[in-house]
Amino acid sequence: MNYKGKSKEELIKELQKLEKTNDVLRLSLEKEKNNRIPKEKCLRENSFRLMVQNSPDVIWTLDKNYRYTYISPSISKLRGLLPEEAMKEKIQDTISLDSQEDFFDAIADLRDEVKQKSYQPVTVEVKQNHKNGHIIWVEIVINAYFNEQGDQIGYMGISREITQRKIAEIELLEKKGKYHTLTENMKEVVWSIDTESMLIDYVSPSIIQLLGYTSEEILSGSIELVTTRKTLKIIHKQVDKAKDNFKINSSDKDNNYHVEVELLRKDGSKVWVELTSRFVKNRVTGQLEMYCRTRNITERKLAEEALKSSLERFDTLVAMVSVGVYIFWIRSNGHMEFEYVSDRWRDIHDVRPDEDMTDITTVNNKIHKDDIEDFLLANMEAARDRKPFVWEGRFNIKNDERWFRIESIPIGYENGDIRWFGVTQDITERYNAEEALRKSEEKLRELNAQKDKFFSIIAHDLKNPFNAIMGLSQLLIDQIKEKDYEGIEEYGTYISESTEKAMNLLVNLLNWARSQTGRMEFNPENFEIVELIEENKMLLAGNASQKLISIKTSLPEKLTVFADKQMISTVIRNLLSNAIKFTKENKEILITVKENPENIHVSIKDQGIGIAADRLEKLFRIDSSVSTPDTNNERGTGLGLILCKEFVVKHGGNIGVDSEKGKGSTFYFTLPKNG
């Protein structure tokens, strides 16, 4: 563009046009960019999806219970299954039994990677079952799977068939020269040992870093040269077991071993190694060959020994106290485990030294079923608020119910973990002493109430009938002396009624006294309860007829029970007598007997004055028994109902009442069918 010969105003106008053009171009570019990004994202996602679906390798995800949550279509090529068929399985169920240990070892290694926040994948080779029934070799690459918040929600991995490669490797192992070349640059030491002569057939060059020998120095030498006596015994034991297994199974199943042992260095010092052994039969010679892999773990073992020594000193200190000491972790992912427990803690909780303390159900399963909810709620509250935990409750220890007091203090960490330092104290003896004192106080109160009730009956309730008898008898004597016979029949009736009341009261009083002192005999027998009810009905028929009360029954034809006949007769008589007392004239009483699957139910329903709700719960208690005036405005002692309860409970039954003020009452009791 030519700006020569133009005025200042023209140049300004040109610049303004350029700025507008620039703004339009910028807006257009931004709009194009915004439209392009979602398209590119969608394109990437579609490309990734197509890549997964068309990949010859199987791509999958698992939840934390190892159940598939996604599996790519190539599973049909690998194992002959459709994805929807495979989704119904857990991955460990698809792996041969002899490979499952390798798989879970890989999972354990992955967990270590996650804990160390390195998030490196792990690789494992396993045997898997094909739908057609044959075994295939599969290489699995696994890594942890996290959600957007950074919490692990499962695993993701890739499976690739390596059957042909494994066959080739096995053949390669049988050819020593080729096998040796695989181990030349390994940091771990690889061995092969003749199981007959126990001579070293091969050892990788890295032996010089581990034991100070060159390969040539120990090749064809005895394994005894580099092993302690204890390690040599372990190896011989593995060889003997492998030979026995091959005789039984004719395969290499169960012939893999993993131990931590000591080896001897050239300078005489000892080194700790992780020894992994595998026994294989040579296809050509048929001889059993032992292949070993060793890894130096001396530093770890020394650290463990130092920690063990420190813990032993700590144990010495905590052994001097009567409480059990523990250190407990609640991890941010919800996992819980014991880091440390003292011997006293194990004694208190009845936990053997060899029991796995990473599984807290070992302890929690011993908490009393009625206390477990309170224990868990107290735990959650203390963990949520980061406050000290204090709880008292029952544990089931060696078929015995024990009371424990548990106290712990939390220390929180930035990653969300909580470490609890606590003690457990067996307070059973203290609790039992407190409980015995409480029961003793209750018993003392009950005895005082019984004493008060006893003297009340003697001083008042038993005295009144005799006062009436004495007064009426004297009046009757005076009128007979004066030959005035008017009204003497009425006096005789009153004397008879008062005598009957006194006698009934005396019988109940004596029976109750005998039951309280343990002198009342309990003689259960088989008898017809229907007949017993009819006998008591006839016995009290006169009392009912005086008030024009009709006694009706709803009874089976026959019903045999196993009980103390005299006691049950006393119960029926007292309940029926009370029903007559509290029922108004020209009303009726209904006696019902029902046979249930577990018990015999007897009820006596009246149309009397009823009982107020606040009095119902006190009817059968000696310390607060109450009496209600009958239709003649006379009060009883309440002793009859208390005696009824004593007798029914002695049979293992229940007694109760349904009543409403002004609408009558139904007293009932049950007897177990099995006696």
Side-chain angles (χ1 to χ4, degrees):
M1 184 176 291
N2 187 8
Y3 296 103
K4 292 182 179 180
K6 291 188 178 183
S7 66
K8 181 179 180 182
E9 288 78 11
E10 289 175 333
L11 289 173
I12 291 173
K13 287 181 180 180
E14 289 292 337
L15 286 173
Q16 288 174 342
K17 285 181 182 180
L18 288 172
E19 286 177 352
K20 288 180 180 179
T21 303
N22 183 55
D23 289 341
V24 170
L25 288 172
R26 189 180 74 254
L27 290 173
S28 176
L29 286 171
E30 287 179 355
K31 184 176 180 181
E32 181 183 354
K33 180 181 179 183
N34 291 335
N35 289 333
R36 187 179 72 250
I37 290 173
K39 290 179 181 178
E40 289 177 351
K41 182 179 179 182
C42 182
L43 183 62
R44 285 198 303 272
E45 289 177 351
N46 289 335
S47 299
F48 178 76
R49 188 179 296 109
L50 287 171
M51 181 186 71
V52 169
Q53 291 177 349
N54 295 294
S55 171
D57 297 334
V58 181
I59 300 170
W60 44 262
T61 59
L62 306 174
D63 62 19
K64 297 184 81 171
N65 293 318
Y66 311 113
R67 189 175 293 281
Y68 287 109
T69 55
Y70 170 77
I71 192 162
S72 65
S74 50
I75 187 66
S76 58
K77 183 178 180 181
L78 180 68
R79 296 184 49 232
L81 294 170
L82 294 173
E84 51 267 31
E85 291 177 317
M87 288 282 287
K88 298 177 182 178
E89 301 176 317
K90 290 185 176 181
I91 191 168
Q92 64 265 38
D93 297 334
T94 72
I95 297 173
S96 298
L97 290 176
D98 56 339
S99 290
Q100 288 192 7
E101 183 178 353
D102 293 337
F103 173 77
F104 284 111
D105 284 345
I107 292 292
D109 292 340
L110 183 59
R111 287 174 181 160
D112 289 339
E113 293 288 337
V114 172
K115 285 181 181 179
Q116 296 168 14
K117 300 189 182 299
S118 62
Y119 308 109
Q120 293 298 314
V122 296
T123 303
V124 61
E125 296 176 355
V126 298
K127 296 178 185 176
Q128 276 194 297
N129 304 313
H130 193 276
K131 183 178 181 179
N132 294 336
H134 64 272
I135 300 296
I136 60 173
W137 275 96
V138 178
E139 179 188 76
I140 299 176
V141 180
I142 319 170
N143 208 338
Y145 187 33
F146 300 85
N147 61 18
E148 293 180 358
Q149 289 74 36
D151 298 322
Q152 184 182 349
I153 58 174
Y155 305 89
M156 60 190 303
I158 300 173
S159 298
R160 173 182 299 167
E161 184 175 3
I162 56 169
T163 305
Q164 295 301 319
R165 193 192 84 194
K166 289 300 291 187
I167 292 173
E169 285 179 359
I170 292 171
E171 293 174 351
L172 195 61
L173 288 175
E174 293 175 353
K175 298 176 181 179
K176 294 288 183 69
K178 293 181 180 180
Y179 166 73
H180 296 168
T181 61
L182 294 174
T183 63
E184 289 293 329
N185 299 310
M186 291 181 64
K187 291 182 179 180
E188 296 178 349
V189 179
V190 178
W191 318 62
S192 68
I193 299 170
D194 185 331
T195 58
E196 296 299 325
S197 64
M198 298 305 291
L199 298 179
I200 300 171
D201 285 342
Y202 170 79
V203 62
S204 61
S206 51
I207 187 68
I208 193 166
Q209 283 83 25
L210 181 67
L211 300 182
Y213 292 99
T214 63
S215 301
E216 292 75 16
E217 286 179 300
I218 59 173
L219 196 60
S220 299
S222 172
I223 192 69
E224 294 181 15
L225 176 66
V226 294
T227 58
T228 64
R229 289 185 180 181
K230 184 177 180 180
T231 301
L232 186 61
K233 286 181 180 179
I234 292 172
I235 293 175
H236 275 295
K237 191 174 181 180
Q238 289 181 1
V239 171
D240 293 340
K241 188 174 180 181
K243 289 179 178 178
D244 291 339
N245 286 340
F246 270 103
K247 288 178 183 178
I248 297 171
N249 301 320
S250 299
S251 72
D252 61 356
K253 183 180 179 182
D254 299 326
N255 277 322
N256 300 299
Y257 302 93
H258 184 85
V259 293
E260 294 180 354
V261 295
E262 286 183 301
L263 297 182
L264 295 174
R265 288 179 57 83
K266 186 176 181 179
D267 60 9
S269 62
K270 297 177 182 178
V271 59
W272 276 98
V273 298
E274 184 180 72
L275 175 65
T276 303
S277 306
R278 180 179 178 84
F279 291 85
V280 179
K281 247 187 181 179
N282 189 299
R283 293 183 181 181
V284 179
T285 65
Q287 185 177 345
L288 188 65
E289 297 176 343
M290 180 180 182
Y291 295 94
C292 305
R293 186 179 74 244
T294 51
R295 181 166 63 91
N296 192 336
I297 58 169
T298 304
E299 288 186 7
R300 193 197 82 197
K301 292 296 288 187
L302 290 176
E304 289 175 355
E305 287 296 326
L307 178 60
K308 182 180 178 182
S309 176
S310 176
L311 287 176
E312 286 175 353
R313 290 194 296 272
F314 181 68
D315 280 340
T316 302
L317 293 174
V318 299
M320 300 174 67
V321 296
S322 60
V323 297
V325 179
Y326 68 88
I327 303 173
F328 182 73
W329 283 96
I330 300 180
R331 303 292 184 183
S332 57
N333 61 5
H335 177 69
M336 293 178 280
E337 63 181 346
F338 286 94
E339 175 186 340
Y340 167 82
V341 294
S342 67
D343 290 341
R344 177 58 183 152
W345 186 94
R346 289 183 181 275
D347 291 340
I348 292 174
H349 288 274
D350 187 34
V351 175
R352 299 190 313 274
D354 60 338
E355 288 192 63
D356 181 13
M357 299 311 298
T358 61
D359 183 6
I360 65 168
T361 58
T362 302
V363 178
N364 286 359
N365 286 343
K366 297 179 181 181
I367 300 175
H368 194 282
K369 61 182 180 65
D370 295 335
D371 294 348
I372 183 66
E373 183 177 355
D374 179 60
F375 175 82
L376 294 176
L377 286 174
N379 253 307
M380 287 189 289
E381 182 182 347
R384 183 192 64 219
D385 300 337
R386 300 290 199 275
K387 67 179 185 179
F389 171 74
V390 180
W391 179 81
E392 288 185 3
R394 293 166 291 176
F395 275 69
N396 297 312
I397 305 295
K398 296 179 180 178
N399 299 320
D400 187 21
E401 187 177 283
R402 308 291 297 178
W403 279 86
F404 290 174
R405 178 180 177 86
I406 302 176
E407 300 179 65
S408 59
I409 297 174
I411 295 179
Y413 293 83
E414 291 183 359
N415 64 354
D417 291 351
I418 307 174
R419 197 182 195 191
W420 297 83
F421 296 83
V423 295
T424 299
Q425 183 179 6
D426 189 331
I427 60 169
T428 307
E429 291 184 5
R430 188 196 79 189
Y431 180 85
N432 289 341
E434 292 173 352
E435 187 68 10
L437 180 60
R438 185 185 62 80
K439 289 180 179 179
S440 176
E441 290 173 349
E442 288 180 359
K443 184 66 175 176
L444 185 60
R445 282 194 295 270
E446 185 180 348
L447 290 173
N448 283 333
Q450 291 175 1
K451 179 197 68 175
D452 295 341
K453 186 71 175 178
F454 187 81
F455 284 120
S456 172
I457 293 170
I458 293 175
H460 182 266
D461 299 301
L462 192 57
K463 176 183 175 183
N464 287 345
F466 281 109
N467 283 340
I469 292 170
M470 291 170 63
L472 289 169
S473 297
Q474 186 60 49
L475 186 59
L476 189 60
I477 291 170
D478 291 344
Q479 285 194 207
I480 290 174
K481 283 181 180 180
E482 295 175 4
K483 296 183 179 180
D484 179 5
Y485 301 113
E486 185 179 353
I488 63 174
E489 184 178 353
E490 184 179 356
Y491 297 154
T493 299
Y494 287 150
I495 291 171
S496 176
E497 290 176 354
S498 296
T499 304
E500 184 180 356
K501 288 180 181 178
M503 179 57 72
N504 288 338
L505 181 56
L506 274 172
V507 170
N508 279 341
L509 193 60
L510 289 172
N511 284 337
W512 176 71
R514 284 203 298 270
S515 72
Q516 295 304 301
T517 56
R519 289 182 293 176
M520 187 163 202
E521 295 183 359
F522 180 62
N523 298 313
E525 59 180 309
N526 288 313
F527 65 88
E528 283 291 332
I529 193 168
V530 175
E531 293 180 3
L532 187 65
I533 290 171
E534 293 290 352
E535 289 175 7
N536 280 280
K537 177 184 171 184
M538 290 179 62
L539 184 65
L540 297 172
N543 296 5
S545 64
Q546 288 179 8
K547 299 175 70 175
L548 303 176
I549 294 171
S550 171
I551 303 177
K552 295 184 177 182
T553 58
S554 176
L555 309 172
E557 186 176 343
K558 283 187 177 182
L559 183 58
T560 302
V561 299
F562 183 73
D564 188 304
K565 187 175 182 181
Q566 188 61 41
M567 288 187 179
I568 301 306
S569 180
T570 300
V571 173
I572 295 170
R573 186 168 61 255
N574 271 295
L575 296 181
L576 184 55
S577 176
N578 283 349
I580 294 170
K581 274 194 231 179
F582 294 101
T583 298
K584 295 180 180 180
E585 294 181 353
N586 294 309
K587 297 292 183 179
E588 68 177 36
I589 294 170
L590 176 63
I591 305 174
T592 304
V593 175
K594 291 182 180 178
E595 183 179 10
N596 298 320
E598 296 181 354
N599 56 40
I600 307 298
H601 188 278
V602 181
S603 65
I604 299 176
K605 181 179 181 181
D606 64 50
Q607 295 179 338
I609 59 178
I611 307 168
D614 59 344
R615 288 173 165 258
L616 289 176
E617 63 179 22
K618 301 178 181 179
L619 286 177
F620 301 100
R621 290 173 53 186
I622 185 67
D623 59 340
S624 59
S625 63
V626 294
S627 61
T628 303
D630 62 17
T631 54
N632 292 325
N633 235 6
E634 293 184 8
R635 290 183 178 271
T637 62
L639 187 61
L641 289 178
I642 295 166
L643 189 62
C644 288
K645 181 180 180 182
E646 292 266 355
F647 288 172
V648 171
V649 171
K650 193 168 186 68
H651 283 80
N654 294 309
I655 189 168
V657 60
D658 296 322
S659 184
E660 187 175 345
K661 187 70 173 176
K663 294 186 179 181
S665 305
T666 300
F667 282 83
Y668 60 87
F669 67 91
T670 62
L671 295 173
K673 288 184 71 172
N674 57 7

